[in-house]
Amino acid sequence: MPHSRHDSIDLGAMIEGIARWVEIESPTGDVAAVNRMIDRVTADLAGVPVRIERLPGRPGFGDTLVAQTHDNGAGILMLSHIDTVHPIGTLKSSPFRRDGDRLYGPGIYDMKGGAYLALDAFCRVARGKTARLPITYLFTPDEEVGSPCSRERIEREARRARYVLVTEPARDGGKVVIAAQQRRGFVLISVQDNGSGIPAAHVAKIFDRLYQVGDVRDARSREQGLGLGLNIVRTIVEAHGGDVSVSSEVGKGSTFAFTLPLADWKAESSTPP
């Protein structure tokens, strides 16, 4: 994984990393298989300045992994599970593959693809020391059966966190759609919802530090945040040479998007068009 806060996104390396995760089959009930996946996550954290805690699972369950940028204080909880519903041997009939701009393989959607991308972002922030709040990343081994082993730790971390980011994908027809498109020299990532939307008067200021809109239907929601989240997003994206934008319509929802340069893209000509 990249070592600099200013590194561009290496799409090829990202796909290779996701493939490594998908090709480690990890059905919940196979303790050794799940722990191989935990070993892989631990290896991907090598050299990252975080504190790592590995919690042995109860009989019949794999281990839980916790990575923290700081020891104390309320901050951000990132939550991913690395177990899947696919039995050992599924890769033989459904191997990892790429078809155009889509990747396929057992467990890639739920949820190794999103978990790997989130870990990459976590590592970049930890190495660049750009986090303004403590971050705890929790990898669990038992979500597919209701989290009986990891639930206590999940709830404990969630109670002391200001924000919780879960990398679980949305179901078909869900309220959030995440998309990525490769363009000439950069990748465009967008997050679209069908929520309450943002009034036009607020859109131009939405990324300003300490600016708050809240739910247009509930003014109390403005009291529950600090107005820092989107400003932090813009700071991180711009530090990597990207840009952020938002489009919104009240009553229909919003689309937030950001761009990041591709490390392996080479201009066909040095002469401007």
Side-chain angles (χ1 to χ4, degrees):
M1 291 186 180
H3 291 264
S4 168
R5 61 179 290 187
H6 300 292
D7 279 346
S8 300
I9 300 296
D10 186 333
L11 186 61
M14 192 82 71
I15 293 173
E16 290 176 2
I18 294 173
R20 283 194 296 270
W21 281 34
V22 171
E23 290 173 349
I24 300 175
E25 296 179 293
S26 52
T28 310
D30 191 321
V31 176
V34 170
N35 281 342
R36 283 194 293 271
M37 189 61 227
I38 291 291
D39 291 340
R40 179 68 260 172
V41 179
T42 304
D44 285 343
L45 284 164
V48 181
V50 295
R51 185 172 70 89
I52 298 175
E53 180 182 10
R54 183 163 177 165
L55 309 171
R58 296 202 315 242
F61 293 98
D63 299 344
T64 296
L65 191 70
V66 187
Q68 296 176 305
T69 58
H70 301 273
D71 290 338
N72 301 306
I76 301 169
L77 172 62
M78 299 174 69
L79 184 61
S80 300
H81 69 86
I82 50 79
D83 61 316
T84 76
V85 298
H86 305 284
I88 297 292
T90 303
L91 276 170
K92 293 180 180 178
S93 58
S94 181
F96 174 86
R97 64 185 176 90
R98 179 179 181 178
D99 184 0
D101 61 355
R102 296 193 177 194
L103 304 178
Y104 297 87
I108 193 169
Y109 181 73
D110 184 14
M111 60 188 304
K112 291 182 178 180
Y116 181 86
L117 294 176
L119 179 64
D120 184 81
F122 172 76
C123 291
R124 289 170 182 267
V125 169
R127 288 187 175 115
K129 302 186 185 303
T130 56
R132 300 189 183 187
L133 292 172
I135 304 175
T136 297
Y137 203 148
L138 185 60
F139 291 90
T140 67
D142 55 351
E143 188 273 346
E144 297 292 1
V145 295
S147 305
C149 184
S150 60
R151 178 179 298 276
E152 181 180 353
R153 184 60 181 260
I154 293 171
E155 292 179 348
R156 188 202 320 168
E157 295 292 347
R159 278 193 294 268
R160 70 187 188 95
R162 291 188 185 181
Y163 310 98
V164 179
L165 306 176
V166 181
T167 62
E168 187 79 20
R171 296 179 182 273
D172 289 343
K175 294 184 178 181
V176 178
V177 177
I178 301 175
Q181 303 174 52
Q182 184 173 338
R183 302 287 180 86
R184 184 179 174 84
F186 65 90
V187 61
L188 172 66
I189 299 174
S190 62
V191 181
Q192 180 181 20
D193 66 42
N194 58 354
S196 56
I198 304 168
H202 295 288
V203 170
K205 302 177 182 179
I206 197 70
F207 293 101
D208 290 354
R209 182 176 172 83
L210 301 179
Y211 191 80
Q212 291 179 281
V213 177
D215 191 320
V216 296
R217 297 167 300 182
D218 183 3
R220 292 175 300 173
S221 66
R222 291 192 292 271
E223 301 174 1
Q224 300 174 1
L226 298 174
L228 291 173
L230 290 174
N231 181 261
I232 293 172
V233 168
R234 183 176 67 179
T235 299
I236 294 173
V237 170
E238 291 181 348
H240 286 85
D243 194 16
V244 295
S245 63
V246 60
S247 60
S248 186
E249 185 175 349
V250 174
K252 291 188 176 182
S254 306
T255 299
F256 288 84
F258 65 92
T259 62
L260 290 171
L262 291 171
D264 56 355
W265 180 81
K266 296 181 180 180
E268 296 178 0
S269 172
S270 59
T271 303

